[in-house]
Structures are given as structure tokens and as C-alpha cells.
Coordinates of all heavy atoms in Angstrom, one line a residue:
M1 N 11.0 -4.1 -6.1 CA 10.1 -3.0 -6.2 C 9.1 -3.3 -7.4 O 9.5 -3.9 -8.4 CB 10.9 -1.8 -6.5 CG 10.0 -0.5 -6.5 SD 9.4 -0.2 -4.9 CE 8.5 1.2 -5.2
F2 N 7.8 -3.0 -7.2 CA 6.8 -3.2 -8.2 C 7.2 -2.4 -9.4 O 8.0 -1.5 -9.4 CB 5.4 -2.9 -7.6 CG 5.2 -1.5 -7.2 CD1 4.5 -0.6 -8.0 CD2 5.7 -1.0 -6.0 CE1 4.3 0.7 -7.6 CE2 5.5 0.3 -5.6 CZ 4.8 1.1 -6.4
N3 N 6.5 -2.7 -10.5 CA 6.9 -2.1 -11.8 C 6.7 -0.6 -11.9 O 5.9 0.0 -11.3 CB 6.2 -2.9 -13.0 CG 4.8 -2.6 -13.1 OD1 4.3 -1.5 -13.1 ND2 4.0 -3.7 -13.3
Q4 N 7.5 0.0 -12.8 CA 7.5 1.4 -13.0 C 6.1 1.9 -13.5 O 5.7 3.0 -13.1 CB 8.6 1.8 -14.0 CG 8.8 3.3 -14.1 CD 9.3 3.9 -12.8 OE1 10.1 3.3 -12.1 NE2 8.8 5.1 -12.5
E5 N 5.4 1.2 -14.3 CA 4.1 1.6 -14.8 C 3.1 1.8 -13.7 O 2.4 2.8 -13.6 CB 3.6 0.6 -15.8 CG 2.3 1.0 -16.5 CD 1.8 -0.1 -17.5 OE1 2.6 -0.9 -17.9 OE2 0.6 0.0 -17.8
T6 N 3.1 0.8 -12.8 CA 2.2 0.9 -11.6 C 2.6 2.1 -10.7 O 1.7 2.9 -10.3 CB 2.2 -0.4 -10.8 OG1 1.8 -1.4 -11.7 CG2 1.2 -0.3 -9.6
Y7 N 3.9 2.3 -10.5 CA 4.4 3.4 -9.7 C 3.9 4.7 -10.4 O 3.5 5.6 -9.7 CB 5.9 3.4 -9.7 CG 6.5 4.5 -8.8 CD1 6.7 4.3 -7.5 CD2 6.8 5.7 -9.4 CE1 7.3 5.3 -6.7 CE2 7.4 6.7 -8.6 CZ 7.6 6.5 -7.3 OH 8.1 7.5 -6.5
D8 N 4.1 4.9 -11.7 CA 3.7 6.1 -12.4 C 2.2 6.4 -12.3 O 1.8 7.5 -12.1 CB 4.1 6.0 -13.8 CG 5.7 6.1 -14.0 OD1 6.4 6.5 -13.1 OD2 6.1 5.7 -15.1
L9 N 1.4 5.3 -12.4 CA -0.1 5.4 -12.2 C -0.4 5.9 -10.8 O -1.3 6.8 -10.6 CB -0.8 4.1 -12.5 CG -0.7 3.7 -14.0 CD1 -1.3 2.3 -14.1 CD2 -1.6 4.6 -14.9
L10 N 0.2 5.3 -9.8 CA 0.0 5.7 -8.4 C 0.4 7.2 -8.2 O -0.3 7.9 -7.6 CB 0.8 4.8 -7.4 CG 0.2 3.5 -7.1 CD1 1.1 2.6 -6.4 CD2 -1.1 3.6 -6.3
E11 N 1.6 7.5 -8.7 CA 2.1 8.9 -8.6 C 1.1 9.9 -9.2 O 0.8 10.9 -8.6 CB 3.4 9.0 -9.2 CG 4.2 10.2 -8.8 CD 5.6 10.2 -9.2 OE1 5.9 9.9 -10.4 OE2 6.5 10.4 -8.4
A12 N 0.6 9.6 -10.3 CA -0.4 10.5 -11.0 C -1.7 10.6 -10.2 O -2.3 11.6 -10.0 CB -0.7 9.9 -12.4
E13 N -2.1 9.4 -9.6 CA -3.3 9.4 -8.8 C -3.1 10.2 -7.5 O -4.0 10.9 -7.0 CB -3.7 8.0 -8.4 CG -5.1 7.9 -7.9 CD -6.2 8.3 -8.9 OE1 -6.0 8.3 -10.1 OE2 -7.3 8.6 -8.4
F14 N -1.9 10.2 -6.9 CA -1.5 11.0 -5.7 C -1.6 12.4 -6.1 O -2.2 13.2 -5.3 CB -0.1 10.6 -5.3 CG 0.0 9.5 -4.4 CD1 -0.8 8.3 -4.5 CD2 0.9 9.5 -3.3 CE1 -0.6 7.2 -3.7 CE2 1.1 8.4 -2.5 CZ 0.3 7.3 -2.7
E15 N -1.1 12.8 -7.2 CA -1.1 14.2 -7.6 C -2.6 14.7 -7.8 O -3.0 15.8 -7.4 CB -0.3 14.4 -8.9 CG 1.2 14.4 -8.7 CD 2.0 14.5 -9.9 OE1 1.5 15.0 -11.0 OE2 3.2 14.1 -9.9
K16 N -3.4 13.9 -8.5 CA -4.8 14.2 -8.8 C -5.5 14.4 -7.5 O -6.4 15.2 -7.4 CB -5.4 13.0 -9.6 CG -6.8 13.3 -10.0 CD -7.3 12.1 -10.9 CE -8.6 11.6 -10.4 NZ -9.1 10.4 -11.1
N17 N -5.2 13.6 -6.4 CA -5.9 13.7 -5.1 C -5.1 14.6 -4.1 O -5.5 14.6 -2.9 CB -6.1 12.3 -4.5 CG -7.1 11.5 -5.3 OD1 -8.3 11.7 -5.0 ND2 -6.7 10.6 -6.2
H18 N -4.2 15.4 -4.6 CA -3.4 16.3 -3.8 C -2.7 15.7 -2.6 O -2.6 16.3 -1.6 CB -4.4 17.5 -3.3 CG -5.1 18.1 -4.4 ND1 -4.6 18.9 -5.4 CD2 -6.5 18.0 -4.7 CE1 -5.5 19.3 -6.2 NE2 -6.7 18.7 -5.9
L19 N -2.2 14.5 -2.8 CA -1.4 13.8 -1.8 C 0.1 14.3 -2.0 O 0.6 14.1 -3.1 CB -1.4 12.3 -2.0 CG -2.7 11.6 -1.5 CD1 -2.9 10.3 -2.2 CD2 -2.6 11.4 0.0
E20 N 0.6 14.9 -1.0 CA 2.0 15.4 -1.1 C 3.0 14.3 -0.7 O 4.2 14.5 -1.1 CB 2.1 16.6 -0.2 CG 1.3 17.8 -0.6 CD 1.4 19.0 0.3 OE1 2.3 19.0 1.1 OE2 0.5 19.9 0.1
E21 N 2.6 13.3 -0.1 CA 3.5 12.2 0.3 C 4.1 11.5 -0.9 O 3.5 11.4 -2.0 CB 2.9 11.2 1.2 CG 2.6 11.7 2.6 CD 1.3 12.5 2.6 OE1 0.6 12.6 1.6 OE2 1.0 13.1 3.7
D22 N 5.2 10.9 -0.8 CA 5.9 10.0 -1.8 C 5.2 8.7 -1.8 O 4.8 8.1 -0.8 CB 7.3 9.9 -1.4 CG 8.1 9.1 -2.5 OD1 8.1 9.5 -3.6 OD2 8.7 8.0 -2.2
V23 N 5.0 8.1 -3.0 CA 4.4 6.8 -3.2 C 5.0 5.8 -2.3 O 4.3 5.0 -1.6 CB 4.4 6.4 -4.7 CG1 3.9 4.9 -4.8 CG2 3.6 7.3 -5.5
E24 N 6.3 5.6 -2.3 CA 7.0 4.6 -1.5 C 6.8 4.8 0.0 O 6.6 3.9 0.7 CB 8.5 4.6 -1.9 CG 8.8 4.1 -3.3 CD 10.2 4.3 -3.7 OE1 11.0 4.6 -2.9 OE2 10.5 4.1 -4.9
E25 N 6.8 6.1 0.4 CA 6.5 6.4 1.8 C 5.2 6.0 2.2 O 5.0 5.4 3.3 CB 6.7 7.9 2.0 CG 6.6 8.4 3.4 CD 6.8 9.9 3.4 OE1 7.8 10.4 2.8 OE2 6.0 10.6 4.0
V26 N 4.1 6.2 1.4 CA 2.8 5.8 1.8 C 2.7 4.3 1.8 O 2.1 3.7 2.7 CB 1.8 6.4 0.8 CG1 0.4 5.8 0.9 CG2 1.7 7.9 0.9
L27 N 3.2 3.6 0.8 CA 3.2 2.1 0.8 C 3.9 1.5 2.0 O 3.4 0.6 2.6 CB 3.8 1.6 -0.5 CG 2.9 1.9 -1.8 CD1 3.7 1.5 -3.0 CD2 1.6 1.3 -1.7
L28 N 5.0 2.1 2.4 CA 5.7 1.7 3.6 C 4.8 1.9 4.9 O 4.7 1.0 5.7 CB 7.1 2.4 3.7 CG 8.0 1.8 4.8 CD1 8.2 0.3 4.6 CD2 9.3 2.6 4.8
D29 N 4.2 3.1 4.9 CA 3.3 3.4 6.1 C 2.2 2.4 6.1 O 1.8 1.9 7.2 CB 2.7 4.8 5.9 CG 3.7 5.9 6.3 OD1 4.8 5.6 6.8 OD2 3.4 7.1 5.9
L30 N 1.6 2.1 5.0 CA 0.5 1.2 4.9 C 0.9 -0.2 5.4 O 0.2 -0.9 6.1 CB -0.1 1.1 3.5 CG -0.9 2.4 3.1 CD1 -1.2 2.4 1.6 CD2 -2.1 2.6 3.9
S31 N 2.1 -0.6 4.9 CA 2.7 -1.9 5.3 C 2.9 -2.0 6.8 O 2.5 -3.0 7.4 CB 4.0 -2.2 4.6 OG 3.9 -2.2 3.2
E32 N 3.4 -1.0 7.4 CA 3.7 -1.0 8.8 C 2.3 -1.0 9.6 O 2.2 -1.7 10.6 CB 4.5 0.3 9.2 CG 5.9 0.2 8.8 CD 6.7 1.5 9.0 OE1 6.1 2.5 9.4 OE2 7.9 1.5 8.8
A33 N 1.3 -0.3 9.1 CA 0.0 -0.3 9.7 C -0.6 -1.7 9.6 O -1.2 -2.2 10.6 CB -0.9 0.8 9.1
L34 N -0.5 -2.4 8.5 CA -1.0 -3.7 8.3 C -0.3 -4.7 9.3 O -0.9 -5.5 10.0 CB -0.8 -4.2 6.9 CG -1.8 -3.7 5.9 CD1 -1.3 -4.0 4.4 CD2 -3.2 -4.2 6.1
A35 N 1.0 -4.5 9.4 CA 1.8 -5.4 10.3 C 1.4 -5.2 11.8 O 1.4 -6.1 12.6 CB 3.3 -5.2 10.1
D36 N 1.1 -3.9 12.1 CA 0.8 -3.5 13.5 C -0.5 -4.2 13.9 O -0.8 -4.3 15.1 CB 0.7 -2.0 13.7 CG 2.0 -1.4 13.6 OD1 3.1 -2.1 13.8 OD2 2.1 -0.1 13.5
Q37 N -1.4 -4.6 13.0 CA -2.6 -5.3 13.3 C -2.4 -6.6 13.9 O -3.2 -7.2 14.6 CB -3.5 -5.4 12.1 CG -4.1 -4.1 11.6 CD -5.1 -4.3 10.4 OE1 -5.4 -5.4 10.1 NE2 -5.5 -3.2 9.9
G38 N -1.2 -7.2 13.6 CA -0.8 -8.5 14.2 C -1.6 -9.7 13.7 O -1.5 -10.8 14.3
I39 N -2.2 -9.6 12.6 CA -3.0 -10.7 12.0 C -2.1 -11.3 10.9 O -1.8 -10.7 9.9 CB -4.3 -10.2 11.4 CG1 -5.2 -9.5 12.4 CG2 -5.1 -11.3 10.7 CD1 -6.4 -8.8 11.9
M40 N -1.8 -12.6 11.1 CA -0.8 -13.3 10.2 C -1.6 -14.2 9.3 O -2.5 -14.9 9.7 CB 0.2 -14.0 11.0 CG 1.1 -13.2 11.9 SD 2.2 -12.1 10.9 CE 2.4 -10.8 12.0
D41 N -1.0 -14.3 8.1 CA -1.4 -15.3 7.1 C -2.9 -15.2 6.7 O -3.5 -16.2 6.3 CB -1.1 -16.7 7.6 CG 0.4 -16.9 7.9 OD1 1.2 -16.4 7.2 OD2 0.7 -17.5 9.0
K42 N -3.5 -14.1 6.8 CA -4.8 -13.8 6.3 C -4.9 -12.5 5.6 O -4.1 -11.6 6.0 CB -5.8 -13.7 7.5 CG -6.1 -15.1 8.2 CD -7.2 -14.9 9.2 CE -7.4 -16.2 9.9 NZ -8.3 -16.1 11.1
E43 N -5.7 -12.4 4.6 CA -5.8 -11.1 3.9 C -6.5 -10.1 4.9 O -7.6 -10.4 5.4 CB -6.6 -11.3 2.7 CG -6.5 -10.1 1.7 CD -7.1 -10.4 0.4 OE1 -6.4 -11.0 -0.5 OE2 -8.3 -10.0 0.1
V44 N -5.9 -9.0 5.1 CA -6.5 -7.9 5.9 C -6.4 -6.6 5.1 O -5.7 -6.4 4.2 CB -5.7 -7.7 7.2 CG1 -5.9 -9.0 8.1 CG2 -4.2 -7.5 7.0
S45 N -7.3 -5.7 5.6 CA -7.3 -4.4 4.9 C -7.4 -3.3 6.0 O -7.8 -3.5 7.1 CB -8.5 -4.3 4.0 OG -9.7 -4.3 4.7
L46 N -7.0 -2.1 5.5 CA -7.1 -1.0 6.4 C -7.2 0.3 5.6 O -6.9 0.3 4.4 CB -5.9 -0.9 7.4 CG -4.6 -0.5 6.7 CD1 -4.4 1.0 6.9 CD2 -3.4 -1.2 7.5
K47 N -7.7 1.3 6.2 CA -7.9 2.6 5.6 C -7.1 3.6 6.4 O -7.2 3.7 7.6 CB -9.4 3.0 5.5 CG -10.2 2.1 4.6 CD -11.6 2.6 4.6 CE -12.4 1.6 3.7 NZ -13.8 2.0 3.6
E48 N -6.4 4.4 5.7 CA -5.6 5.5 6.3 C -6.0 6.8 5.5 O -6.2 6.8 4.3 CB -4.1 5.3 6.1 CG -3.6 4.1 6.9 CD -3.4 4.4 8.4 OE1 -3.2 5.6 8.8 OE2 -3.5 3.5 9.2
S49 N -6.0 7.9 6.2 CA -6.3 9.2 5.6 C -5.0 10.0 5.4 O -4.2 10.1 6.3 CB -7.3 10.0 6.4 OG -8.5 9.4 6.5
Y50 N -4.9 10.5 4.2 CA -3.8 11.4 3.9 C -4.4 12.7 3.4 O -4.9 12.8 2.3 CB -2.9 10.8 2.8 CG -2.2 9.6 3.3 CD1 -2.7 8.3 3.2 CD2 -0.9 9.7 3.9 CE1 -2.0 7.2 3.6 CE2 -0.2 8.6 4.4 CZ -0.8 7.3 4.2 OH -0.2 6.2 4.7
G51 N -4.5 13.7 4.3 CA -5.3 14.9 4.0 C -6.7 14.5 4.0 O -7.2 13.8 4.9
K52 N -7.4 14.9 2.9 CA -8.8 14.5 2.7 C -9.0 13.2 2.0 O -10.1 12.8 1.7 CB -9.5 15.7 2.0 CG -9.6 16.9 2.8 CD -10.3 18.0 2.1 CE -10.3 19.3 2.9 NZ -11.0 20.4 2.2
T53 N -7.9 12.6 1.6 CA -8.0 11.4 0.7 C -7.8 10.1 1.6 O -6.9 10.0 2.3 CB -6.9 11.5 -0.4 OG1 -7.1 12.7 -1.1 CG2 -7.0 10.3 -1.3
V54 N -8.7 9.2 1.4 CA -8.6 7.9 2.1 C -7.9 6.9 1.1 O -8.3 6.8 0.0 CB -10.0 7.4 2.4 CG1 -9.9 6.0 3.0 CG2 -10.7 8.3 3.4
V55 N -6.9 6.3 1.7 CA -6.2 5.3 0.9 C -6.4 3.9 1.6 O -6.2 3.8 2.8 CB -4.7 5.6 0.9 CG1 -3.9 4.5 0.1 CG2 -4.4 6.9 0.2
E56 N -6.9 2.9 0.9 CA -7.1 1.6 1.5 C -6.1 0.6 0.9 O -5.8 0.6 -0.3 CB -8.5 1.2 1.1 CG -8.9 -0.2 1.7 CD -10.3 -0.6 1.4 OE1 -11.1 0.2 0.8 OE2 -10.7 -1.7 1.8
A57 N -5.6 -0.2 1.8 CA -4.6 -1.2 1.4 C -5.1 -2.6 1.8 O -5.7 -2.7 2.9 CB -3.3 -1.0 2.1
V58 N -4.9 -3.6 0.9 CA -5.2 -4.9 1.2 C -3.9 -5.7 1.1 O -3.2 -5.6 0.1 CB -6.3 -5.5 0.2 CG1 -6.5 -7.0 0.5 CG2 -7.6 -4.7 0.3
G59 N -3.6 -6.5 2.2 CA -2.4 -7.2 2.1 C -2.4 -8.4 3.0 O -3.4 -8.7 3.7
I60 N -1.3 -9.2 3.0 CA -1.1 -10.4 3.9 C 0.2 -10.2 4.6 O 1.2 -10.0 4.0 CB -1.1 -11.6 3.0 CG1 -2.5 -11.8 2.3 CG2 -0.8 -12.9 3.9 CD1 -2.5 -13.0 1.3
C61 N 0.1 -10.4 5.9 CA 1.3 -10.4 6.7 C 1.7 -11.8 7.1 O 0.8 -12.6 7.3 CB 1.1 -9.6 8.0 SG 0.5 -7.9 7.8
S62 N 3.0 -12.1 7.1 CA 3.4 -13.4 7.5 C 4.8 -13.2 8.2 O 5.4 -12.2 8.1 CB 3.5 -14.3 6.3 OG 4.4 -13.8 5.3
E63 N 5.2 -14.2 8.9 CA 6.4 -14.2 9.6 C 7.4 -15.1 8.9 O 7.1 -16.3 8.7 CB 6.2 -14.6 11.1 CG 7.2 -14.0 12.0 CD 6.8 -14.2 13.5 OE1 5.6 -14.1 13.8 OE2 7.7 -14.4 14.3
E64 N 8.6 -14.5 8.6 CA 9.6 -15.3 8.0 C 10.9 -15.0 8.7 O 11.3 -13.8 8.8 CB 9.8 -14.9 6.5 CG 8.6 -15.3 5.6 CD 8.8 -14.9 4.2 OE1 9.9 -14.6 3.8 OE2 7.8 -15.0 3.5
E65 N 11.5 -16.1 9.2 CA 12.8 -15.9 10.0 C 12.6 -14.9 11.1 O 13.5 -14.0 11.2 CB 13.9 -15.6 9.0 CG 14.2 -16.7 8.0 CD 15.3 -16.4 7.0 OE1 16.0 -15.5 7.3 OE2 15.3 -17.1 6.0
E66 N 11.6 -15.0 11.8 CA 11.3 -14.1 13.0 C 11.1 -12.6 12.6 O 11.2 -11.8 13.5 CB 12.4 -14.3 14.1 CG 12.4 -15.7 14.6 CD 13.4 -15.8 15.7 OE1 13.7 -14.8 16.4 OE2 13.9 -16.9 15.9
E67 N 10.8 -12.3 11.4 CA 10.5 -11.0 11.0 C 9.2 -11.0 10.2 O 8.9 -11.9 9.5 CB 11.6 -10.4 10.0 CG 12.9 -10.1 10.7 CD 13.7 -9.1 10.0 OE1 13.2 -8.4 9.1 OE2 14.9 -9.1 10.3
V68 N 8.4 -9.9 10.4 CA 7.1 -9.8 9.8 C 7.4 -9.2 8.4 O 8.1 -8.2 8.2 CB 6.2 -8.9 10.5 CG1 4.9 -8.7 9.8 CG2 5.9 -9.5 11.9
V69 N 6.8 -9.9 7.4 CA 6.9 -9.4 6.0 C 5.4 -9.1 5.5 O 4.5 -9.8 6.0 CB 7.5 -10.4 5.0 CG1 9.0 -10.5 5.3 CG2 6.9 -11.7 5.0
V70 N 5.3 -8.1 4.7 CA 3.9 -7.7 4.3 C 3.9 -7.6 2.8 O 4.7 -6.9 2.1 CB 3.6 -6.3 4.9 CG1 2.2 -5.8 4.4 CG2 3.6 -6.3 6.4
L71 N 2.9 -8.4 2.3 CA 2.7 -8.4 0.8 C 1.5 -7.5 0.6 O 0.4 -7.8 1.1 CB 2.4 -9.8 0.3 CG 1.8 -9.9 -1.1 CD1 2.9 -9.5 -2.1 CD2 1.3 -11.3 -1.4
I72 N 1.7 -6.4 0.0 CA 0.5 -5.5 -0.4 C 0.0 -6.0 -1.7 O 0.7 -6.0 -2.7 CB 0.9 -4.0 -0.5 CG1 1.3 -3.5 0.9 CG2 -0.3 -3.2 -1.0 CD1 1.5 -2.0 1.0
K73 N -1.3 -6.4 -1.7 CA -1.9 -6.9 -2.9 C -2.6 -5.8 -3.7 O -2.4 -5.8 -4.9 CB -3.0 -8.0 -2.5 CG -2.3 -9.2 -1.8 CD -3.4 -10.2 -1.3 CE -4.0 -11.0 -2.4 NZ -3.3 -12.0 -3.1
R74 N -3.3 -5.0 -3.0 CA -4.0 -3.9 -3.7 C -4.0 -2.6 -2.9 O -4.0 -2.7 -1.7 CB -5.5 -4.3 -4.0 CG -5.7 -5.4 -4.9 CD -7.1 -5.8 -5.1 NE -7.9 -6.1 -3.9 CZ -7.8 -7.2 -3.2 NH1 -7.0 -8.2 -3.6 NH2 -8.5 -7.4 -2.1
V75 N -4.1 -1.5 -3.6 CA -4.2 -0.2 -3.0 C -5.3 0.5 -3.7 O -5.4 0.5 -4.9 CB -2.9 0.6 -3.1 CG1 -3.1 2.1 -2.6 CG2 -1.8 0.0 -2.2
K76 N -6.2 1.1 -2.9 CA -7.3 1.9 -3.5 C -7.3 3.3 -3.0 O -7.1 3.6 -1.8 CB -8.7 1.2 -3.0 CG -9.9 1.8 -3.7 CD -11.1 1.0 -3.3 CE -12.4 1.6 -3.9 NZ -13.6 0.8 -3.4
I77 N -7.3 4.2 -4.0 CA -7.2 5.6 -3.7 C -8.5 6.2 -4.3 O -8.7 6.2 -5.5 CB -6.0 6.3 -4.4 CG1 -4.7 5.6 -3.9 CG2 -6.0 7.8 -4.1 CD1 -3.5 6.0 -4.7
G78 N -9.4 6.7 -3.4 CA -10.7 7.1 -3.9 C -11.4 5.9 -4.5 O -11.6 4.9 -3.8
K79 N -11.8 6.0 -5.7 CA -12.5 4.9 -6.4 C -11.6 4.1 -7.3 O -12.0 3.1 -7.9 CB -13.7 5.5 -7.2 CG -14.8 6.2 -6.4 CD -16.0 6.5 -7.2 CE -17.0 7.3 -6.5 NZ -17.4 6.9 -5.2
K80 N -10.3 4.5 -7.4 CA -9.4 3.8 -8.3 C -8.6 2.7 -7.5 O -8.1 3.0 -6.4 CB -8.4 4.7 -8.9 CG -9.0 5.4 -10.2 CD -7.8 5.8 -11.0 CE -8.3 6.0 -12.4 NZ -7.3 6.5 -13.3
E81 N -8.6 1.5 -8.0 CA -7.8 0.4 -7.4 C -6.6 0.0 -8.2 O -6.7 0.0 -9.4 CB -8.8 -0.8 -7.2 CG -8.2 -1.8 -6.2 CD -9.3 -2.8 -5.8 OE1 -10.3 -2.4 -5.2 OE2 -9.1 -4.0 -6.0
F82 N -5.5 -0.3 -7.5 CA -4.3 -0.6 -8.2 C -3.8 -2.0 -7.7 O -3.7 -2.2 -6.4 CB -3.2 0.4 -8.0 CG -3.6 1.8 -8.4 CD1 -4.3 2.7 -7.6 CD2 -3.3 2.2 -9.7 CE1 -4.7 3.9 -8.0 CE2 -3.7 3.5 -10.1 CZ -4.3 4.3 -9.3
E83 N -3.4 -2.9 -8.6 CA -2.8 -4.2 -8.2 C -1.3 -3.9 -7.9 O -0.7 -3.4 -8.8 CB -3.0 -5.2 -9.3 CG -4.4 -5.6 -9.5 CD -5.0 -6.4 -8.4 OE1 -4.3 -7.2 -7.8 OE2 -6.2 -6.2 -8.2
I84 N -0.9 -4.3 -6.7 CA 0.5 -4.1 -6.4 C 1.3 -5.4 -6.4 O 2.3 -5.5 -7.1 CB 0.7 -3.4 -5.0 CG1 -0.1 -2.1 -5.0 CG2 2.1 -3.2 -4.7 CD1 0.3 -1.0 -5.8
E85 N 0.9 -6.3 -5.5 CA 1.5 -7.7 -5.5 C 3.0 -7.6 -5.2 O 3.8 -8.2 -6.0 CB 1.2 -8.5 -6.7 CG -0.3 -8.8 -6.9 CD -0.9 -9.8 -5.9 OE1 -0.1 -10.6 -5.3 OE2 -2.1 -9.8 -5.7
D86 N 3.4 -6.8 -4.2 CA 4.8 -6.7 -3.9 C 5.0 -6.6 -2.4 O 4.1 -6.2 -1.7 CB 5.4 -5.5 -4.6 CG 6.9 -5.7 -4.8 OD1 7.5 -6.6 -4.2 OD2 7.5 -4.9 -5.5
Y87 N 6.2 -6.9 -1.9 CA 6.5 -6.9 -0.5 C 7.1 -5.5 -0.2 O 7.9 -5.0 -0.9 CB 7.5 -8.0 -0.2 CG 6.9 -9.3 -0.2 CD1 6.9 -10.1 -1.3 CD2 6.3 -9.9 1.0 CE1 6.4 -11.4 -1.3 CE2 5.7 -11.1 1.0 CZ 5.8 -11.9 -0.2 OH 5.2 -13.1 -0.2
F88 N 6.7 -5.0 1.0 CA 7.2 -3.7 1.4 C 7.9 -3.8 2.8 O 8.5 -2.8 3.2 CB 6.2 -2.6 1.4 CG 5.9 -2.2 0.0 CD1 4.9 -2.9 -0.8 CD2 6.6 -1.2 -0.6 CE1 4.7 -2.6 -2.1 CE2 6.4 -0.9 -1.9 CZ 5.4 -1.6 -2.7
L89 N 7.7 -4.8 3.5 CA 8.4 -5.0 4.8 C 9.0 -6.4 4.9 O 8.5 -7.3 4.3 CB 7.4 -4.9 6.0 CG 7.0 -3.5 6.5 CD1 6.2 -3.6 7.7 CD2 8.2 -2.6 6.8

């Protein structure tokens, strides 16, 4: 799991933007959506809306031992960007 400081910053940003979802739940949702694109070994991005707030994720999907793994590099909430650099799938 990524570091506690980043988690706390994300959690505060979620509260500021009235996101009721849990940070880990959103990161998992974003990972699954990135994997669903089916683009492997290239940096891809996507935007998802949570209420009125748009959350953008940038990550790289790859296949390891016949399973898709997703490295989320960055997450952007509104105008704030957070470096994640951790695997969620």
C-alpha cells in the first residue's frame, strides 16, 4: 500500500470535494477501469466522475502470470495532482 502521508492527503482532498467514497475504493475502481481499457504496457489515463468531482488517473497496465496488474502513477482530483506509484490490481 502507498504511504500513509499520501493516503491522508487524498482523504483530505476527498473530503474537501465532498467525495463520500473511500480512498482505497476509488483507487481500486480506477485500477479496474484502466485494466478494462485493455491497453498493455503503455501509460494510459482516464477520467471518472464521483458526484460533481472528476478524478483522473494515470497508470500502466501489464500482464504478469496471466493476470492484469495496474500501476497507478498519478491521481488528479480537481486541480490537485498526487503521485501514487503503487499497484492496485
Side-chain angles (χ1 to χ4, degrees):
M1 186 65 182
F2 60 104
N3 73 45
Q4 188 65 40
E5 183 181 340
T6 303
Y7 182 91
D8 292 342
L9 290 170
L10 280 169
E11 195 169 51
E13 196 64 23
F14 274 38
E15 287 176 20
K16 185 175 131 187
N17 286 282
H18 309 289
L19 283 155
E20 294 179 13
E21 290 82 4
D22 183 59
V23 171
E24 291 169 12
E25 185 179 310
V26 169
L27 292 173
L28 189 57
D29 285 349
L30 293 169
S31 295
E32 289 172 353
L34 284 167
D36 288 347
Q37 290 183 7
I39 300 170
M40 297 294 153
D41 304 319
K42 290 184 182 174
E43 193 169 279
V44 292
S45 66
L46 72 93
K47 293 180 183 179
E48 295 281 332
S49 293
Y50 293 89
K52 294 181 180 179
T53 304
V54 174
V55 179
E56 183 176 357
V58 176
I60 298 174
C61 302
S62 57
E63 207 168 323
E64 292 181 13
E65 298 177 16
E66 298 185 27
E67 289 203 19
V68 175
V69 293
V70 179
L71 169 68
I72 293 187
K73 296 175 74 70
R74 295 180 303 281
V75 171
K76 187 174 179 183
I77 303 167
K79 295 188 187 311
K80 275 205 162 173
E81 194 166 300
F82 302 88
E83 293 292 323
I84 304 293
E85 296 292 336
D86 203 351
Y87 288 91
F88 286 89
L89 279 184

